[in-house]
Amino acid sequence: MKASEIRSKWLAFFESKGHKIEPSASLVPHNDPSLLWINAGMAPLKPYFDGRVIPDNPRIANSQKCIRTNDIENVGKTRRHHTMFEMLGNFSIGDYFKEEVITWAWEFLTSPKWIGFDPERLSVTVYPEDEEAYRFWNEKIGLPAERIYKLEENFWDIGEGPCGPCTEIFYDRGDAFGDLNDPECWPGGENERFLEVWNLVFSQYNHNKDGSYTPLPNKNIDTGAGLERFTSILQNVDSNFDTDLFRPIIDRTCEIAGVSYHVNADHDVALKVIADHIRTVAFAVGDGVMPSNEGRGYVIRRLLRRAVRYGKTIGVDRPFLFELVGVVGDIMGTHYTEIVEKREFIEKVIKTEEERFHETLSDGLSLLGELVKAAKAAGGKHIGGSDAFKLYDTYGFPFDLTEDYAAEQGLTVDREGFDASMEEQRTRARAARQETGGMNVQGGPLADFTEKSEFVGYQDLTVDAAKVIAIVQGDALVQEAGAGSHVLVVLDRTPFYAESGGQVGDNGAIAGSGFALSVDNVTKAPHGQPLHHAVVEHGTLKVGDAVQAAVTSKTREDTIKNHTATHLLHRALKDVLGEHVNQAGSLVEPERLRFDFSHFGSISPEELADIERRVNEQIWLGTTLDIDYKSLAEAKAMGAMALFGEKYGDVVRVVRVGDYSLELCGGCHVANTSQIGLFKLVSESGIGSGVRRIEAVTGRHAYLHMEGQLDLLKQSASLLKSNLHDVPKRIEALHAQVKDLTRDNESLQSKLSRIEAGSLETQAKTVGGVTLLAAEVNAPSMDALRGIADELKAKLASAVIVLGAAAEGKVNLVASVSPDLVKQGFNAGKIVKEAAAVCGGGGGGRPDMAQAGGKDPSKLAAALQIAEELVLAQSNVI
């Protein structure tokens, strides 16, 4: 059975049980700072599990792509360690529980229609205190007691939040994979025979802040099964890497390298690492993660460089990983279409990174050579752990590569020091984000509030006869709230837009007979009702009151101009930069819009001008927007763009701007593009590797921005004593004048350096058999000081020169050592560093030339004396 068939069967089975099939979310968590990657099937569903959002259907199933890199060193060396994998899951949000999920698991695994496992090969583990699960397995399913194992570790708990017991299902692969006489050969033991295929978690408790456990208001089911493991069993192969999920990648790599699989053990490890890592990198880049030196980008860079290094072990010394992206697409593309759609972009990113790494490897080898040379010169026998970690962290050198190279030179490497540096980095990474997988505690005053609230704000900004259906004050539902109270209010009908899709919530007022409220924001309640954040200005608000709800029209009008402009900008970016551009986040406020997008490389001024022009051309066309509701399938067939991280229902709102832009969007927009008035880019910058940000303004804010720019231009013209049109010419003339003055100044400074050097040459003296010139000179800058030193070097063939100058309340120091004295061990960098320390500063450089700075000019004479003492001390050693 092919992997794609197993995935399809999983989704079809649970769809037949009334589950909604959720598409795989991006590997990049959406609005979840606790996770670096989506690392489990339930991770994108956390808002459902903790009650922040109530799903339309409490039964959900998915096949979710996941990344985990905590065991990266084991990848390729074991049968089942991967950095990216697919987790098959079925979930119940307060609906079915243990009996149903156990019954369905057994049906799916044993029915010939679905997976068709031999029931005699299946066994399970349960939590010792979970008598209910034990009874279902034993009495309803009919598993004999000897195939039900009670294990204390069968309790899923990640700290505060939902938790509960679990039951794991194991498949017996037979005698070829383990001897039953081995004490570890049993379900849950360390063996290859009993393979865990499915874990059913029964979330029935809240783990409270005080460490206590209380029953959840709504009990949940969270299950996970590895597609790779299912596939290895059903294809009857030795490891996951021999399945159709990996084998085509391995075979193509063998063709590129000219090696064979299952012939050389070391080659097999390399082939498996490459197959695993290219899948992960391709999927991550497809989801907008670019290789970089931090966060997710750093993980991808490490994986890619690790794969390149293993490529070298099988004889591939050129970029080749990008050639495997097409194979990944052939395997996974029917379910994960983004790998096929973005293939060209993914290949470009990977190839560019490979080329850079091949250059970096050369730099790393040079540094490693210097470390070896320094260790031998100092009489040492090893390379420090921190140095080995720098090679690993900066240049991508695996520890074993450094160790091999060092061994060739008769040296060892400090493994403990390397591990300590690695742990320090992991500690910093953990501190930079919350604990992985954390969830909120279930509950809240609106968790069970399901009364409908209708949003009518697309057409109307004022509603005259709305009704108050809920008031929240603090953490409780209340019947009334008096003056000065901060409350959350739900109305049966409202014109207020609730913050979502990047568009901020509306503000305005709610008023009724004898009371008034100011609304400063609107968010969504767990069941989706607009939740008005308000202050009672006067009077008393009560549930059941009739109110007038009015949005501040000016801020809404400014906001919708920016929102429609964002759609036009998205299309313009794709037209100018390429179809690979995708939204990676946005903010639509009354004053401005901010748009983050994926793009590999910088954007030229000409491209920015083109983007801005294209948006304004759409505004000047005065196109009427067409907004309609379609099925999700129909909208996608039309080519509508879905936005980053958003979840869509079966019916979606489609916003069309003529033939130019077509997006799924629930936000508010202008009726005609001419209402936007004017679009002006304010800034463009990179905010991470492969992610850029544009900020822009529209309408009156664009006018005010341009007026501000014009005022600056007028001020500049006034300072230049020029009219506006001649400002560029006047600046060019000043540039030319400055250039001439700089050239004259450099010429004069050169003459002064020669004069100064001529007067200093006679101050040279012999110290310990070495010519030394240590003197304070008159030099206004470091450049001038270096110029004097250069003149003296030409005059003194063999000498140590140390010059110091006090300028603008600080000290500049320069040291120079002639080549013959460098060979004797004199070092300009060390001399200037210690001299600068006397003046409260620091610096360094090469053995033949170095410079430094200091803070205390009164210590300059003492610093020069220290330099003389250092030279004398070195002379005595020689």
Side-chain angles (χ1 to χ4, degrees), residues 267-571:
H267 286 180
D268 286 355
V269 170
L271 292 165
K272 291 174 183 177
V273 169
I274 291 166
D276 172 272
H277 289 6
I278 189 57
R279 285 204 333 160
T280 307
V281 173
F283 270 87
V285 172
D287 282 346
V289 180
M290 300 295 107
S292 68
N293 286 328
E294 58 184 34
R296 299 180 188 95
Y298 176 69
V299 173
I300 295 309
R301 174 164 282 170
R302 270 190 63 207
L303 291 177
L304 195 148
R305 291 184 169 188
R306 193 167 186 264
V308 171
R309 274 293 312 128
Y310 273 98
K312 284 183 173 291
T313 67
I314 55 174
V316 186
D317 289 312
R318 62 170 179 84
F320 74 101
L321 293 171
F322 73 97
E323 297 178 27
L324 301 175
V325 174
V327 185
V328 176
D330 292 341
I331 299 169
M332 312 289 283
T334 54
H335 189 70
Y336 298 101
T337 56
E338 68 272 17
I339 294 296
V340 177
E341 293 164 357
K342 300 178 182 179
R343 173 178 170 176
E344 185 177 343
F345 176 67
I346 296 169
E347 288 176 339
K348 178 183 176 183
V349 171
I350 292 175
K351 184 179 181 182
T352 301
E353 183 67 15
E354 284 189 88
E355 290 170 343
R356 287 177 178 171
F357 183 46
H358 278 277
E359 296 172 4
T360 304
L361 272 176
S362 298
D363 296 338
L365 284 170
S366 296
L367 176 59
L368 186 51
E370 290 177 13
L371 292 172
V372 169
K373 183 178 179 181
K376 288 184 174 181
K381 295 293 184 182
H382 71 277
I383 292 173
S386 60
D387 289 328
F389 181 75
K390 181 180 179 182
L391 283 164
Y392 168 81
D393 197 38
T394 305
Y395 298 100
F397 271 50
F399 181 83
D400 54 1
L401 175 66
T402 303
E403 202 169 37
D404 290 345
Y405 187 90
E408 291 172 6
Q409 304 297 320
L411 302 175
T412 59
V413 186
D414 176 15
R415 179 79 206 210
E416 289 185 4
F418 175 86
D419 290 341
S421 295
M422 176 71 83
E423 186 55 37
E424 285 176 17
Q425 186 194 66
R426 287 173 176 158
T427 300
R428 288 193 298 270
R430 284 192 292 268
R433 64 182 188 271
Q434 303 171 25
E435 282 299 315
T436 296
M439 286 200 290
N440 297 335
V441 172
Q442 262 191 23
L446 294 172
D448 297 319
F449 184 79
T450 58
E451 195 169 339
K452 297 294 183 183
S453 175
E454 182 186 4
F455 171 65
V456 298
Y458 290 133
Q459 299 82 23
D460 304 314
L461 295 186
T462 301
V463 172
D464 288 324
K467 177 184 175 184
V468 177
I469 57 176
I471 304 170
V472 176
Q473 187 172 6
D475 291 326
L477 283 165
V478 297
Q479 290 300 304
E480 61 180 55
S485 300
H486 291 260
V487 292
L488 304 175
V489 180
V490 183
L491 307 177
D492 64 342
R493 296 168 62 245
T494 180
F496 285 83
Y497 181 81
E499 177 184 318
S500 64
Q503 181 178 328
V504 298
D506 284 326
N507 57 42
I510 295 174
S513 179
F515 62 86
L517 292 80
S518 62
V519 179
D520 60 17
N521 193 21
V522 184
T523 58
K524 287 186 177 180
H527 288 271
Q529 306 97 331
L531 198 57
H532 306 76
H533 298 239
V535 176
V536 181
E537 300 288 353
H538 65 82
T540 300
L541 176 73
K542 297 179 181 178
V543 173
D545 281 342
V547 300
Q548 180 192 67
V551 174
T552 304
S553 60
K554 194 174 191 62
T555 54
R556 168 69 83 83
E557 288 166 6
D558 287 344
T559 301
I560 64 176
K561 291 174 183 177
N562 284 333
H563 201 153
T564 305
T566 299
H567 285 218
L568 300 178
L569 173 62
H570 195 180
R571 184 66 258 169

Side-chain angles (χ1 to χ4, degrees), residues 813-861:
L813 288 162
V814 167
S816 172
V817 178
S818 57
D820 61 315
L821 296 180
V822 169
K823 291 180 181 179
Q824 293 184 36
F826 291 93
N827 188 302
K830 292 180 180 179
I831 293 170
V832 82
K833 182 179 180 180
E834 296 202 32
V838 176
C839 301
R846 304 188 309 271
D848 64 323
M849 189 71 180
Q851 66 184 48
K855 302 174 183 177
D856 189 352
S858 68
K859 299 290 180 61
L860 179 53

Side-chain angles (χ1 to χ4, degrees), residues 745 749 753 777-788 804-808 810-814:
N745 182 60
Q749 188 61 57
S753 295
V777 300
N778 182 22
S781 67
M782 182 63 81
D783 286 341
L785 191 61
R786 283 198 301 268
I788 296 171
E808 300 179 354
K810 62 182 182 181
V811 174
N812 289 327
L813 288 162
V814 167

Side-chain angles (χ1 to χ4, degrees), residues 106-124:
W106 189 258
E107 179 186 353
F108 180 73
L109 291 175
T110 60
S111 169
K113 179 181 178 181
W114 302 108
I115 296 300
F117 282 158
D118 178 356
E120 297 301 316
R121 286 180 175 266
L122 297 175
S123 53
V124 302

